Amino acid sequence: MREAAHELVEAWEAALAPAEAEEITGALSGLSIVVAGRDDADELAARLVVYAEDLDGTPVRLVRAAAIKLRRTLKWFPTLAEIRECIADLYAAERPFAIRAYALRWVAEHPKQPGWSDEEWWNYRALKAAHEWAQARGLMG
Protein backbone atom coordinates (compact mmCIF):
# COMPACT_ATOMS: atom_id res chain seq x y z
CA MET A 1 0.00 0.00 0.00
CA ARG A 2 2.85 2.37 0.81
CA GLU A 3 4.28 2.13 -2.72
CA ALA A 4 0.87 2.68 -4.34
CA ALA A 5 0.21 5.68 -2.09
CA HIS A 6 3.57 7.20 -3.01
CA GLU A 7 2.89 6.65 -6.72
CA LEU A 8 -0.48 8.39 -6.36
CA VAL A 9 1.10 11.41 -4.69
CA GLU A 10 3.84 11.51 -7.34
CA ALA A 11 1.15 11.53 -10.05
CA TRP A 12 -0.55 14.51 -8.39
CA GLU A 13 2.77 16.29 -8.03
CA ALA A 14 3.47 15.79 -11.74
CA ALA A 15 0.00 17.01 -12.66
CA LEU A 16 0.48 20.15 -10.56
CA ALA A 17 3.99 20.94 -11.82
CA PRO A 18 4.34 24.60 -12.78
CA ALA A 19 4.22 25.41 -16.47
CA GLU A 20 6.85 27.25 -18.46
CA ALA A 21 5.84 30.57 -20.06
CA GLU A 22 5.93 28.98 -23.53
CA GLU A 23 3.50 26.26 -22.42
CA ILE A 24 1.08 28.84 -21.06
CA THR A 25 1.33 30.96 -24.20
CA GLY A 26 0.74 27.88 -26.34
CA ALA A 27 -2.26 26.80 -24.30
CA LEU A 28 -3.85 30.24 -24.52
CA SER A 29 -2.98 30.97 -28.15
CA GLY A 30 -5.61 28.48 -29.26
CA LEU A 31 -8.21 30.78 -27.79
CA SER A 32 -7.35 33.43 -30.40
CA ILE A 33 -8.29 31.03 -33.18
CA VAL A 34 -11.72 30.14 -31.79
CA VAL A 35 -12.75 33.19 -29.76
CA ALA A 36 -13.19 36.62 -31.34
CA GLY A 37 -10.65 39.26 -30.46
CA ARG A 38 -10.25 42.96 -30.99
CA ASP A 39 -6.42 42.92 -31.21
CA ASP A 40 -4.14 42.62 -34.20
CA ALA A 41 -1.48 39.90 -34.20
CA ASP A 42 1.18 42.01 -32.45
CA GLU A 43 -1.20 43.11 -29.69
CA LEU A 44 -2.36 39.53 -29.19
CA ALA A 45 1.25 38.29 -28.92
CA ALA A 46 1.99 41.00 -26.34
CA ARG A 47 -1.17 40.11 -24.40
CA LEU A 48 -0.18 36.43 -24.31
CA VAL A 49 3.26 37.32 -22.95
CA VAL A 50 1.68 39.36 -20.14
CA TYR A 51 -0.83 36.57 -19.41
CA ALA A 52 2.00 34.02 -19.31
CA GLU A 53 3.97 36.19 -16.86
CA ASP A 54 0.95 36.52 -14.60
CA LEU A 55 0.08 32.83 -14.76
CA ASP A 56 3.69 31.77 -14.15
CA GLY A 57 3.78 28.74 -11.86
CA THR A 58 0.27 27.60 -12.76
CA PRO A 59 0.08 23.95 -13.86
CA VAL A 60 -0.17 23.85 -17.65
CA ARG A 61 -2.82 21.16 -17.38
CA LEU A 62 -5.09 23.64 -15.61
CA VAL A 63 -4.31 26.40 -18.12
CA ARG A 64 -5.21 24.07 -21.00
CA ALA A 65 -8.41 22.94 -19.30
CA ALA A 66 -9.39 26.56 -18.63
CA ALA A 67 -8.68 27.50 -22.25
CA ILE A 68 -10.91 24.69 -23.49
CA LYS A 69 -13.70 25.61 -21.10
CA LEU A 70 -13.49 29.32 -21.94
CA ARG A 71 -13.43 28.88 -25.70
CA ARG A 72 -16.65 26.90 -25.39
CA THR A 73 -18.40 29.57 -23.37
CA LEU A 74 -17.02 33.02 -24.30
CA LYS A 75 -17.62 35.10 -27.39
CA TRP A 76 -14.62 37.39 -26.85
CA PHE A 77 -11.02 36.72 -25.86
CA PRO A 78 -11.02 36.36 -22.06
CA THR A 79 -9.53 38.81 -19.62
CA LEU A 80 -6.80 37.63 -17.31
CA ALA A 81 -9.30 37.73 -14.45
CA GLU A 82 -11.66 35.39 -16.33
CA ILE A 83 -8.83 32.94 -16.98
CA ARG A 84 -7.67 33.04 -13.35
CA GLU A 85 -11.23 32.52 -12.09
CA CYS A 86 -11.70 29.51 -14.37
CA ILE A 87 -8.37 28.03 -13.23
CA ALA A 88 -9.34 28.56 -9.59
CA ASP A 89 -12.66 26.76 -10.15
CA LEU A 90 -10.94 23.82 -11.82
CA TYR A 91 -8.31 23.65 -9.09
CA ALA A 92 -10.94 23.80 -6.34
CA ALA A 93 -12.73 20.83 -7.90
CA GLU A 94 -9.51 18.77 -7.79
CA ARG A 95 -8.26 19.79 -4.37
CA PRO A 96 -10.20 17.12 -2.39
CA PHE A 97 -8.71 14.36 -4.56
CA ALA A 98 -5.19 15.68 -4.11
CA ILE A 99 -5.66 15.91 -0.36
CA ARG A 100 -7.03 12.37 -0.28
CA ALA A 101 -3.92 11.15 -2.13
CA TYR A 102 -1.76 12.80 0.53
CA ALA A 103 -3.95 11.28 3.26
CA LEU A 104 -3.50 7.80 1.80
CA ARG A 105 0.25 8.25 1.68
CA TRP A 106 0.31 9.53 5.24
CA VAL A 107 -1.80 6.59 6.46
CA ALA A 108 0.50 4.14 4.69
CA GLU A 109 3.45 5.64 6.56
CA HIS A 110 1.75 6.01 9.97
CA PRO A 111 -0.25 3.09 11.40
CA LYS A 112 -3.30 3.79 13.54
CA GLN A 113 -2.39 4.73 17.08
CA PRO A 114 -3.75 2.61 19.96
CA GLY A 115 -6.75 4.09 21.71
CA TRP A 116 -8.05 6.02 18.69
CA SER A 117 -11.39 5.19 17.14
CA ASP A 118 -11.51 4.74 13.37
CA GLU A 119 -13.37 8.05 13.02
CA GLU A 120 -10.85 9.94 15.19
CA TRP A 121 -7.95 8.44 13.25
CA TRP A 122 -9.55 9.26 9.88
CA ASN A 123 -10.24 12.87 10.91
CA TYR A 124 -6.72 13.29 12.25
CA ARG A 125 -5.00 11.81 9.23
CA ALA A 126 -7.16 13.82 6.77
CA LEU A 127 -6.34 17.02 8.64
CA LYS A 128 -2.66 16.12 8.81
CA ALA A 129 -2.55 15.32 5.08
CA ALA A 130 -4.35 18.55 4.17
CA HIS A 131 -1.88 20.49 6.30
CA GLU A 132 1.12 18.83 4.64
CA TRP A 133 -0.42 19.38 1.19
CA ALA A 134 -0.94 23.12 1.84
CA GLN A 135 2.47 23.48 3.45
CA ALA A 136 4.18 21.86 0.46
CA ARG A 137 2.61 24.51 -1.78
CA GLY A 138 3.60 27.42 0.43
CA LEU A 139 0.03 28.05 1.53
CA MET A 140 0.90 27.67 5.21
CA GLY A 141 3.89 28.64 7.30
Side-chain angles (χ1 to χ4, degrees), residues 84-128:
R84 291 184 77 69
E85 182 179 351
C86 187
I87 289 171
D89 291 345
L90 292 167
Y91 190 59
E94 291 184 346
R95 190 175 302 123
F97 299 105
I99 291 172
R100 180 163 293 193
Y102 276 78
L104 289 172
R105 182 184 71 177
W106 196 87
V107 167
E109 295 172 352
H110 302 87
K112 181 178 159 187
Q113 298 297 314
W116 291 59
S117 70
D118 288 341
E119 183 178 359
E120 289 171 330
W121 188 241
W122 170 254
N123 289 336
Y124 175 74
R125 67 190 181 195
L127 179 61
K128 182 73 173 164

Short mmCIF file of all heavy atoms in Angstrom, two decimals, residues 84-128:
data_model
loop_
_atom_site.label_atom_id
_atom_site.label_comp_id
_atom_site.label_asym_id
_atom_site.label_seq_id
_atom_site.Cartn_x
_atom_site.Cartn_y
_atom_site.Cartn_z
N ARG A 84 -8.06 33.40 -14.72
CA ARG A 84 -7.67 33.04 -13.35
C ARG A 84 -8.86 32.47 -12.58
O ARG A 84 -8.72 31.52 -11.81
CB ARG A 84 -7.09 34.25 -12.62
CG ARG A 84 -5.72 34.66 -13.18
CD ARG A 84 -5.09 35.79 -12.39
NE ARG A 84 -4.51 35.32 -11.13
CZ ARG A 84 -3.44 34.55 -11.02
NH1 ARG A 84 -2.83 34.12 -12.08
NH2 ARG A 84 -2.98 34.20 -9.84
N GLU A 85 -10.03 33.02 -12.77
CA GLU A 85 -11.23 32.52 -12.09
C GLU A 85 -11.55 31.10 -12.55
O GLU A 85 -11.87 30.23 -11.73
CB GLU A 85 -12.42 33.45 -12.38
CG GLU A 85 -13.69 33.02 -11.68
CD GLU A 85 -14.85 33.95 -11.96
OE1 GLU A 85 -14.65 35.03 -12.56
OE2 GLU A 85 -15.98 33.61 -11.58
N CYS A 86 -11.44 30.85 -13.84
CA CYS A 86 -11.70 29.51 -14.37
C CYS A 86 -10.68 28.51 -13.82
O CYS A 86 -11.04 27.40 -13.42
CB CYS A 86 -11.67 29.56 -15.89
SG CYS A 86 -12.17 28.01 -16.67
N ILE A 87 -9.42 28.90 -13.78
CA ILE A 87 -8.37 28.03 -13.23
C ILE A 87 -8.65 27.73 -11.76
O ILE A 87 -8.53 26.60 -11.31
CB ILE A 87 -6.98 28.65 -13.43
CG1 ILE A 87 -6.59 28.60 -14.91
CG2 ILE A 87 -5.93 27.94 -12.58
CD1 ILE A 87 -5.34 29.38 -15.26
N ALA A 88 -9.05 28.75 -11.02
CA ALA A 88 -9.34 28.56 -9.59
C ALA A 88 -10.50 27.59 -9.40
O ALA A 88 -10.47 26.74 -8.50
CB ALA A 88 -9.66 29.90 -8.93
N ASP A 89 -11.53 27.69 -10.24
CA ASP A 89 -12.66 26.76 -10.15
C ASP A 89 -12.24 25.33 -10.44
O ASP A 89 -12.64 24.40 -9.74
CB ASP A 89 -13.77 27.18 -11.12
CG ASP A 89 -14.47 28.47 -10.71
OD1 ASP A 89 -14.31 28.91 -9.55
OD2 ASP A 89 -15.18 29.04 -11.57
N LEU A 90 -11.42 25.16 -11.48
CA LEU A 90 -10.94 23.82 -11.82
C LEU A 90 -10.06 23.25 -10.71
O LEU A 90 -10.18 22.07 -10.36
CB LEU A 90 -10.15 23.87 -13.14
CG LEU A 90 -10.96 24.20 -14.39
CD1 LEU A 90 -10.03 24.53 -15.55
CD2 LEU A 90 -11.88 23.04 -14.75
N TYR A 91 -9.20 24.08 -10.16
CA TYR A 91 -8.31 23.65 -9.09
C TYR A 91 -9.10 23.28 -7.84
O TYR A 91 -8.81 22.27 -7.18
CB TYR A 91 -7.30 24.76 -8.80
CG TYR A 91 -6.17 24.36 -7.89
CD1 TYR A 91 -5.32 23.32 -8.22
CD2 TYR A 91 -5.96 25.05 -6.70
CE1 TYR A 91 -4.27 22.97 -7.38
CE2 TYR A 91 -4.91 24.69 -5.86
CZ TYR A 91 -4.08 23.66 -6.21
OH TYR A 91 -3.06 23.31 -5.37
N ALA A 92 -10.11 24.07 -7.52
CA ALA A 92 -10.94 23.80 -6.34
C ALA A 92 -11.65 22.45 -6.47
O ALA A 92 -11.81 21.72 -5.49
CB ALA A 92 -11.94 24.92 -6.13
N ALA A 93 -12.05 22.11 -7.69
CA ALA A 93 -12.73 20.83 -7.90
C ALA A 93 -11.79 19.65 -7.69
O ALA A 93 -12.22 18.57 -7.28
CB ALA A 93 -13.33 20.79 -9.30
N GLU A 94 -10.50 19.85 -7.94
CA GLU A 94 -9.51 18.77 -7.79
C GLU A 94 -8.92 18.66 -6.40
O GLU A 94 -8.41 17.62 -6.03
CB GLU A 94 -8.35 18.99 -8.76
CG GLU A 94 -8.70 18.81 -10.20
CD GLU A 94 -7.48 18.96 -11.08
OE1 GLU A 94 -6.45 19.44 -10.60
OE2 GLU A 94 -7.57 18.57 -12.25
N ARG A 95 -8.95 19.74 -5.66
CA ARG A 95 -8.26 19.79 -4.37
C ARG A 95 -8.62 18.62 -3.45
O ARG A 95 -7.72 18.02 -2.86
CB ARG A 95 -8.55 21.13 -3.69
CG ARG A 95 -7.71 21.35 -2.46
CD ARG A 95 -7.91 22.73 -1.86
NE ARG A 95 -7.61 23.77 -2.82
CZ ARG A 95 -8.46 24.72 -3.21
NH1 ARG A 95 -9.66 24.77 -2.71
NH2 ARG A 95 -8.10 25.62 -4.08
N PRO A 96 -9.90 18.24 -3.30
CA PRO A 96 -10.20 17.12 -2.39
C PRO A 96 -9.51 15.81 -2.80
O PRO A 96 -9.11 15.04 -1.95
CB PRO A 96 -11.72 16.98 -2.48
CG PRO A 96 -12.20 18.30 -2.97
CD PRO A 96 -11.12 18.84 -3.83
N PHE A 97 -9.36 15.59 -4.11
CA PHE A 97 -8.71 14.36 -4.56
C PHE A 97 -7.21 14.39 -4.26
O PHE A 97 -6.63 13.38 -3.90
CB PHE A 97 -8.97 14.16 -6.06
CG PHE A 97 -10.43 14.01 -6.37
CD1 PHE A 97 -11.13 15.06 -6.95
CD2 PHE A 97 -11.12 12.85 -6.05
CE1 PHE A 97 -12.47 14.94 -7.23
CE2 PHE A 97 -12.47 12.72 -6.32
CZ PHE A 97 -13.15 13.77 -6.91
N ALA A 98 -6.61 15.55 -4.43
CA ALA A 98 -5.19 15.68 -4.11
C ALA A 98 -4.96 15.47 -2.62
O ALA A 98 -4.03 14.76 -2.22
CB ALA A 98 -4.67 17.05 -4.54
N ILE A 99 -5.80 16.07 -1.81
CA ILE A 99 -5.66 15.91 -0.36
C ILE A 99 -5.86 14.46 0.04
O ILE A 99 -5.15 13.93 0.88
CB ILE A 99 -6.63 16.85 0.38
CG1 ILE A 99 -6.19 18.30 0.18
CG2 ILE A 99 -6.71 16.50 1.86
CD1 ILE A 99 -7.16 19.33 0.70
N ARG A 100 -6.80 13.79 -0.60
CA ARG A 100 -7.03 12.37 -0.28
C ARG A 100 -5.80 11.54 -0.64
O ARG A 100 -5.43 10.62 0.09
CB ARG A 100 -8.26 11.85 -1.02
CG ARG A 100 -8.51 10.38 -0.71
CD ARG A 100 -9.88 9.98 -1.08
NE ARG A 100 -10.79 10.68 -0.20
CZ ARG A 100 -12.06 10.39 -0.07
NH1 ARG A 100 -12.57 9.43 -0.75
NH2 ARG A 100 -12.83 11.06 0.76
N ALA A 101 -5.14 11.87 -1.75
CA ALA A 101 -3.92 11.15 -2.13
C ALA A 101 -2.86 11.33 -1.04
O ALA A 101 -2.19 10.37 -0.66
CB ALA A 101 -3.40 11.66 -3.48
N TYR A 102 -2.73 12.55 -0.54
CA TYR A 102 -1.76 12.80 0.53
C TYR A 102 -2.17 12.05 1.81
O TYR A 102 -1.32 11.54 2.54
CB TYR A 102 -1.63 14.29 0.80
CG TYR A 102 -0.66 14.96 -0.13
CD1 TYR A 102 -1.02 15.27 -1.42
CD2 TYR A 102 0.64 15.25 0.28
CE1 TYR A 102 -0.13 15.88 -2.29
CE2 TYR A 102 1.54 15.85 -0.59
CZ TYR A 102 1.14 16.16 -1.86
OH TYR A 102 2.04 16.74 -2.72
N ALA A 103 -3.47 12.00 2.07
CA ALA A 103 -3.95 11.28 3.26
C ALA A 103 -3.61 9.79 3.15
O ALA A 103 -3.18 9.18 4.12
CB ALA A 103 -5.45 11.48 3.44
N LEU A 104 -3.82 9.22 1.98
CA LEU A 104 -3.50 7.80 1.80
C LEU A 104 -2.01 7.53 2.00
O LEU A 104 -1.64 6.54 2.61
CB LEU A 104 -3.95 7.34 0.40
CG LEU A 104 -5.45 7.25 0.19
CD1 LEU A 104 -5.77 6.97 -1.27
CD2 LEU A 104 -6.06 6.19 1.09
N ARG A 105 -1.19 8.42 1.48
CA ARG A 105 0.25 8.25 1.68
C ARG A 105 0.60 8.35 3.15
O ARG A 105 1.37 7.55 3.68
CB ARG A 105 1.05 9.28 0.88
CG ARG A 105 2.56 9.07 1.04
CD ARG A 105 3.36 10.11 0.37
NE ARG A 105 3.24 11.36 1.10
CZ ARG A 105 3.89 12.47 0.79
NH1 ARG A 105 4.68 12.51 -0.26
NH2 ARG A 105 3.75 13.56 1.50
N TRP A 106 0.03 9.33 3.83
CA TRP A 106 0.31 9.53 5.24
C TRP A 106 -0.12 8.31 6.06
O TRP A 106 0.60 7.84 6.95
CB TRP A 106 -0.37 10.79 5.74
CG TRP A 106 0.18 11.27 7.04
CD1 TRP A 106 1.23 12.09 7.23
CD2 TRP A 106 -0.30 10.93 8.34
NE1 TRP A 106 1.45 12.29 8.57
CE2 TRP A 106 0.52 11.58 9.29
CE3 TRP A 106 -1.34 10.13 8.82
CZ2 TRP A 106 0.33 11.47 10.65
CZ3 TRP A 106 -1.53 10.01 10.18
CH2 TRP A 106 -0.69 10.69 11.08
N VAL A 107 -1.30 7.77 5.74
CA VAL A 107 -1.80 6.59 6.46
C VAL A 107 -0.88 5.39 6.22
O VAL A 107 -0.60 4.62 7.14
CB VAL A 107 -3.24 6.27 6.01
CG1 VAL A 107 -3.68 4.90 6.49
CG2 VAL A 107 -4.19 7.33 6.54
N ALA A 108 -0.40 5.26 4.99
CA ALA A 108 0.50 4.14 4.69
C ALA A 108 1.79 4.23 5.49
O ALA A 108 2.40 3.21 5.82
CB ALA A 108 0.81 4.11 3.19
N GLU A 109 2.20 5.44 5.83
CA GLU A 109 3.45 5.64 6.56
C GLU A 109 3.25 5.67 8.07
O GLU A 109 4.21 5.56 8.82
CB GLU A 109 4.11 6.94 6.10
CG GLU A 109 4.56 6.90 4.66
CD GLU A 109 5.04 8.24 4.16
OE1 GLU A 109 4.89 9.26 4.87
OE2 GLU A 109 5.56 8.28 3.03
N HIS A 110 2.02 5.88 8.53
CA HIS A 110 1.75 6.01 9.97
C HIS A 110 0.58 5.11 10.37
O HIS A 110 -0.57 5.46 10.12
CB HIS A 110 1.39 7.47 10.32
CG HIS A 110 2.46 8.44 9.95
ND1 HIS A 110 2.55 9.01 8.70
CD2 HIS A 110 3.48 8.93 10.67
CE1 HIS A 110 3.57 9.82 8.67
NE2 HIS A 110 4.17 9.79 9.84
N PRO A 111 0.84 3.98 10.99
CA PRO A 111 -0.25 3.09 11.40
C PRO A 111 -1.12 3.74 12.48
O PRO A 111 -0.69 4.66 13.17
CB PRO A 111 0.47 1.86 11.94
CG PRO A 111 1.86 2.29 12.22
CD PRO A 111 2.15 3.47 11.35
N LYS A 112 -2.34 3.27 12.57
CA LYS A 112 -3.30 3.79 13.54
C LYS A 112 -2.75 3.65 14.96
O LYS A 112 -2.23 2.61 15.33
CB LYS A 112 -4.62 3.04 13.41
CG LYS A 112 -5.69 3.50 14.35
CD LYS A 112 -6.97 2.72 14.08
CE LYS A 112 -7.88 2.75 15.26
NZ LYS A 112 -9.03 1.87 15.08
N GLN A 113 -2.88 4.72 15.70
CA GLN A 113 -2.39 4.73 17.08
C GLN A 113 -3.38 4.01 18.00
O GLN A 113 -4.59 4.11 17.82
CB GLN A 113 -2.22 6.17 17.56
CG GLN A 113 -1.21 6.95 16.74
CD GLN A 113 0.18 6.37 16.87
OE1 GLN A 113 0.64 6.05 17.95
NE2 GLN A 113 0.84 6.21 15.74
N PRO A 114 -2.86 3.29 19.01
CA PRO A 114 -3.75 2.61 19.96
C PRO A 114 -4.61 3.62 20.71
O PRO A 114 -4.17 4.73 21.02
CB PRO A 114 -2.78 1.90 20.93
CG PRO A 114 -1.42 2.01 20.34
CD PRO A 114 -1.45 3.08 19.30
N GLY A 115 -5.85 3.24 20.95
CA GLY A 115 -6.75 4.09 21.71
C GLY A 115 -7.56 5.05 20.86
O GLY A 115 -8.45 5.73 21.37
N TRP A 116 -7.30 5.14 19.57
CA TRP A 116 -8.05 6.02 18.69
C TRP A 116 -9.16 5.22 18.02
O TRP A 116 -8.95 4.10 17.58
CB TRP A 116 -7.15 6.59 17.59
CG TRP A 116 -6.12 7.57 18.05
CD1 TRP A 116 -5.13 7.37 18.95
CD2 TRP A 116 -5.99 8.91 17.60
NE1 TRP A 116 -4.38 8.49 19.10
CE2 TRP A 116 -4.88 9.46 18.27
CE3 TRP A 116 -6.66 9.71 16.70
CZ2 TRP A 116 -4.45 10.77 18.08
CZ3 TRP A 116 -6.23 11.01 16.49
CH2 TRP A 116 -5.15 11.53 17.18
N SER A 117 -10.33 5.83 17.91
CA SER A 117 -11.39 5.19 17.14
C SER A 117 -11.08 5.38 15.66
O SER A 117 -10.26 6.22 15.28
CB SER A 117 -12.75 5.82 17.46
OG SER A 117 -12.82 7.13 16.94
N ASP A 118 -11.73 4.59 14.81
CA ASP A 118 -11.51 4.74 13.37
C ASP A 118 -11.86 6.15 12.90
O ASP A 118 -11.15 6.73 12.10
CB ASP A 118 -12.35 3.72 12.59
CG ASP A 118 -11.81 2.31 12.74
OD1 ASP A 118 -10.63 2.15 13.11
OD2 ASP A 118 -12.57 1.36 12.47
N GLU A 119 -12.95 6.70 13.41
CA GLU A 119 -13.37 8.05 13.02
C GLU A 119 -12.36 9.10 13.47
O GLU A 119 -11.99 10.00 12.70
CB GLU A 119 -14.74 8.38 13.59
CG GLU A 119 -15.26 9.73 13.15
CD GLU A 119 -16.64 10.05 13.68
OE1 GLU A 119 -17.22 9.21 14.40
OE2 GLU A 119 -17.14 11.14 13.39
N GLU A 120 -11.86 8.99 14.70
CA GLU A 120 -10.85 9.94 15.19
C GLU A 120 -9.58 9.86 14.34
O GLU A 120 -9.00 10.88 13.97
CB GLU A 120 -10.50 9.63 16.65
CG GLU A 120 -11.59 9.98 17.63
CD GLU A 120 -11.27 9.45 19.03
OE1 GLU A 120 -10.60 8.40 19.15
OE2 GLU A 120 -11.71 10.09 20.00
N TRP A 121 -9.17 8.62 14.03
CA TRP A 121 -7.95 8.44 13.25
C TRP A 121 -8.12 9.00 11.84
O TRP A 121 -7.26 9.66 11.30
CB TRP A 121 -7.55 6.98 13.22
CG TRP A 121 -6.21 6.75 12.59
CD1 TRP A 121 -5.95 6.02 11.49
CD2 TRP A 121 -4.96 7.27 13.02
NE1 TRP A 121 -4.61 6.03 11.20
CE2 TRP A 121 -3.97 6.80 12.13
CE3 TRP A 121 -4.56 8.09 14.08
CZ2 TRP A 121 -2.63 7.12 12.25
CZ3 TRP A 121 -3.21 8.41 14.19
CH2 TRP A 121 -2.28 7.92 13.29
N TRP A 122 -9.29 8.74 11.23
CA TRP A 122 -9.55 9.26 9.88
C TRP A 122 -9.53 10.80 9.89
O TRP A 122 -8.90 11.42 9.04
CB TRP A 122 -10.86 8.76 9.32
CG TRP A 122 -11.21 9.50 8.06
CD1 TRP A 122 -12.15 10.45 7.89
CD2 TRP A 122 -10.55 9.37 6.80
NE1 TRP A 122 -12.13 10.92 6.61
CE2 TRP A 122 -11.16 10.28 5.92
CE3 TRP A 122 -9.50 8.58 6.33
CZ2 TRP A 122 -10.75 10.41 4.58
CZ3 TRP A 122 -9.10 8.73 5.01
CH2 TRP A 122 -9.73 9.63 4.16
N ASN A 123 -10.21 11.40 10.84
CA ASN A 123 -10.24 12.87 10.91
C ASN A 123 -8.84 13.44 11.13
O ASN A 123 -8.45 14.42 10.51
CB ASN A 123 -11.17 13.34 12.02
CG ASN A 123 -12.62 13.11 11.68
OD1 ASN A 123 -12.99 13.01 10.52
ND2 ASN A 123 -13.45 12.99 12.71
N TYR A 124 -8.07 12.81 11.98
CA TYR A 124 -6.72 13.29 12.25
C TYR A 124 -5.84 13.17 11.01
O TYR A 124 -5.15 14.09 10.63
CB TYR A 124 -6.10 12.52 13.42
CG TYR A 124 -4.66 12.87 13.66
CD1 TYR A 124 -4.32 14.08 14.26
CD2 TYR A 124 -3.64 12.03 13.26
CE1 TYR A 124 -2.99 14.43 14.46
CE2 TYR A 124 -2.31 12.37 13.46
CZ TYR A 124 -2.00 13.57 14.06
OH TYR A 124 -0.69 13.92 14.25
N ARG A 125 -5.88 12.02 10.38
CA ARG A 125 -5.00 11.81 9.23
C ARG A 125 -5.42 12.69 8.05
O ARG A 125 -4.57 13.17 7.31
CB ARG A 125 -4.93 10.35 8.84
CG ARG A 125 -6.20 9.78 8.31
CD ARG A 125 -6.11 8.29 8.18
NE ARG A 125 -7.34 7.77 7.63
CZ ARG A 125 -7.68 6.50 7.66
NH1 ARG A 125 -6.88 5.62 8.23
NH2 ARG A 125 -8.80 6.10 7.14
N ALA A 126 -6.71 12.94 7.85
CA ALA A 126 -7.16 13.82 6.77
C ALA A 126 -6.69 15.25 7.03
O ALA A 126 -6.21 15.94 6.13
CB ALA A 126 -8.67 13.77 6.63
N LEU A 127 -6.80 15.68 8.28
CA LEU A 127 -6.34 17.02 8.64
C LEU A 127 -4.83 17.14 8.48
O LEU A 127 -4.32 18.12 7.93
CB LEU A 127 -6.74 17.34 10.08
CG LEU A 127 -6.32 18.70 10.62
CD1 LEU A 127 -6.96 19.82 9.79
CD2 LEU A 127 -6.73 18.84 12.08
N LYS A 128 -4.11 16.12 8.93
CA LYS A 128 -2.66 16.12 8.81
C LYS A 128 -2.23 16.14 7.34
O LYS A 128 -1.34 16.89 6.95
CB LYS A 128 -2.10 14.88 9.52
CG LYS A 128 -0.62 14.78 9.52
CD LYS A 128 -0.01 15.76 10.46
CE LYS A 128 1.48 15.52 10.58
NZ LYS A 128 2.17 16.64 11.16
#
